Amino acid sequence: MGVRVLKFGGTSVATKQTRELVIHHIERELKEGHQLVVVVSAMGRSGDPYATDTLLSLASEEGGELPSREKDLLMGCGEIISAVVLCGALQARSIPAVALTGGGAGILTSSQFGEARIEEIRTDRMKHHLDQGEVVVVTGFQGQDSRGDLTTLGRGGSDTSATALGAALQAQIVDIYTDVNGILTADPRIVKDAKPLTVVGYAEICNMARLGAKVIHPRAVEIAQQARIPLRVRSTFSDEEGTLVTDLPTALSLAAPLKDRHVTGIAHVQGVTQISVRAVEGIGDTQLKVFQSMARHHISVDLINVTLAGALYTVMDADADKAVRVLRDLGFEPETVSGCAKVSVIGGGMHRVPGVMARIVEALAEQGIPILQSADSNTTIWVLVREEHMGNALRALHAKFELHL
């Protein structure tokens, strides 16, 4: 039946009870005749005994900053614990299984500790174990560089491990198991009638992930798209199919009601500061000086509007004070609005469709929500609002585009 890759997040492997659900999904796939590679994250979340942040806190108690190589060694421990424990649980059920580190599975990376890039995956060892009828349990989030050192892949690393392994093995599908049943039209904690999406394209999910939806990391989606491997985002706590991510026309045709919509979903990012810089007489090339200074000080900028009068853009709240200091050192007097949120209206069907922005403005005006700034691309329209208005903005836009139906 071919190879399938199943990835389980930290909450899925955190307790004996949740690991029983993981084993349930593995047993179901085995009964259907699939060969399985199972990628696991570290157990639980911050505060749990073997979570990555908890392990890092052990080192911080000694004071000082760990060297990057040793920090990666420590950060990789949580996934190793998860892989070994799950492997033992499978063997106790008489399911043949083997646990492999990222390096043991053939994931070779650069030596950029903390943010390593996958350079090659050698699949011989995994294929050998699969041919022996074993479930291959692989530590997510990690690989090995040319010197044999353990490296970590950065934020979303376990998702990236799963899709990269799927691409290397030419898997039928990569299933990302999490604690929600697929990808929803908006954050269900804010928009109560947010609806699961059945089938969506890679580009739309990449945009949603980049713009605040935290279900899957965009780098993982990009790898799957390049390899043309379907992804599914599913719940560990359910047998439902979740959300299929693909560009295959046959699959997308099954989601005709979604395909006909101009908007697929609404995403958001909190903790944003708007910065306005006016051109100052005697300081030439205002825009060039502003953005060169941001780049030189490693401050990421967003929602950029440039005019002859100056520049308007946003940074994260955590970078705002630094950005203001840098600008004042250049002789500017920036104006700031902190505590903002970027709300994104996303949909591949909005390109060249008139009236989408009008509906956004109408939805927010009906709620008395001022738009501080906006920008757009062919698949996304962004609006900046005050954080206190964010929840109402999300609900109003979700309703205006009838995403609950």
Side-chain angles (χ1 to χ4, degrees), residues 362-369 392-393 396:
E362 181 181 50
L364 299 183
E366 287 170 352
Q367 299 298 316
I369 300 173
N392 285 339

Side-chain angles (χ1 to χ4, degrees), residues 116-154:
R117 307 295 292 187
I118 296 174
E119 295 180 341
E120 181 184 0
I121 297 182
R122 298 174 181 170
T123 59
D124 292 350
R125 188 173 182 185
M126 284 188 294
K127 287 179 177 178
H128 169 76
H129 289 295
L130 291 171
D131 290 342
Q132 296 299 310
E134 296 173 301
V135 174
V136 180
V137 184
V138 180
T139 57
F141 180 59
Q142 61 177 242
Q144 180 178 295
D145 71 4
S146 59
R147 295 190 296 265
D149 286 329
L150 185 147
T151 57
T152 64
L153 306 180

Side-chain angles (χ1 to χ4, degrees), residues 188-200:
R189 296 168 297 181
I190 299 172
V191 182
K192 299 303 181 186
D193 56 358
K195 185 177 179 182
L197 297 166
T198 305
V199 182
V200 289

Side-chain angles (χ1 to χ4, degrees), residues 198-225:
T198 305
V199 182
V200 289
Y202 296 109
E204 289 172 302
I205 292 307
C206 260
N207 279 335
M208 292 181 73
R210 288 193 189 100
L211 297 170
K214 296 181 174 61
V215 177
I216 188 169
H217 196 272
R219 186 164 61 152
V221 181
E222 289 165 357
I223 292 171
Q225 182 176 20

